[in-house]
């Protein structure tokens, strides 16, 4: 297991596979970020410009993903505060956390918001009082939230 994993590149992609770490920070410009089979025990930060961000795995405590001109995809166990932001890209958030255990904030301009397949308002807030938060915001893109 790693303590802190910090990755940075310009004009290139970042790929993380099968890593367990206390914290992960990945930053790129003009490239995508792909994290597969990742387990983060505490904080994770993923930032890109002109690239897609894909997160698959278990993310605890605090997860932040922001990109411009790309989509953000998250599929896994997201616990604590999860923030996905994009401009000119969609957001897809799929989690194994139960719906009644997750507060949802989803906001888009020029797109639709769907929660478990149902279209809702483009500024949606479902406050369950839960300790897990999914804060999803984009412009020029749709937001999809699925609970498994």
């Amino acid at each position: 297991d790693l303590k802190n994993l910090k990755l940075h590149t310009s004009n290139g992609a970042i790929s993380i596979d099968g890593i367990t770490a206390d914290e992960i920070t990945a930053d790129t410009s003009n490239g995508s970020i792909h994290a597969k089979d990742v387990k983060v025990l505490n904080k994770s930060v993923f930032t890109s410009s002109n690239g897609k961000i894909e997160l698959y795995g278990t993310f605890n405590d605090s997860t932040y993903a922001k990109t411009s001109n790309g989509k953000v995809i998250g599929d896994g166990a997201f616990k604590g505060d999860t923030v996905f932001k994009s401009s000119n890209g969609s957001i897809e958030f799929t989690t194994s956390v139960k719906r009644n255990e997750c507060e949802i904030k989803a906001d888009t301009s020029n797109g639709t918001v769907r929660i478990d397949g149902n279209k809702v308002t483009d500024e949606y807030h479902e406050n369950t009082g839960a300790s897990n938060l999914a804060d999803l915001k984009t412009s020029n893109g749709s937001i999809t939230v699925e609970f498994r």
Side-chain angles (χ1 to χ4, degrees):
D1 293 3
L2 298 170
K3 181 79 175 153
N4 296 317
L5 176 64
K6 294 183 180 184
L7 305 166
H8 173 77
T9 186
S10 297
N11 299 317
I14 294 175
S15 183
I16 307 164
D17 193 356
I19 297 289
T20 298
D22 284 348
E23 295 184 5
I24 294 179
T25 302
D27 175 54
T28 183
S29 56
N30 299 316
S32 62
I33 297 173
H34 183 88
K36 178 183 169 194
D37 295 328
V38 170
K39 182 174 183 181
V40 183
L41 304 176
N42 294 304
K43 180 180 175 182
S44 55
V45 177
F46 304 92
T47 55
S48 175
S49 58
N50 301 316
K52 174 169 54 173
I53 298 175
E54 296 177 276
L55 307 176
Y56 303 96
T58 301
F59 301 85
N60 293 297
D61 192 28
S62 173
T63 305
Y64 180 83
K66 181 180 180 182
T67 187
S68 57
N69 301 317
K71 72 167 42 174
V72 179
I73 300 170
D75 189 339
F78 290 88
K79 297 183 179 177
D81 292 344
T82 301
V83 177
F84 287 177
K85 294 186 177 190
S86 179
S87 57
N88 299 317
S90 62
I91 294 175
E92 298 173 15
F93 178 76
T94 304
T95 185
S96 59
V97 172
K98 293 180 178 141
R99 185 169 178 170
N100 65 347
E101 296 175 351
C102 187
E103 178 179 350
I104 306 164
K105 293 181 182 178
D107 183 14
T108 183
S109 58
N110 286 336
T112 59
V113 176
R114 293 189 182 278
I115 311 291
D116 282 334
N118 299 310
K119 186 177 177 182
V120 296
T121 64
D122 58 358
E123 289 184 34
Y124 182 81
H125 186 194
E126 182 176 314
N127 188 352
T128 60
S131 59
N132 301 305
L133 168 67
D135 187 355
L136 317 169
K137 186 170 187 170
T138 187
S139 58
N140 299 317
S142 295
I143 298 173
T144 305
V145 178
E146 297 287 334
F147 292 91
R148 281 191 260 134

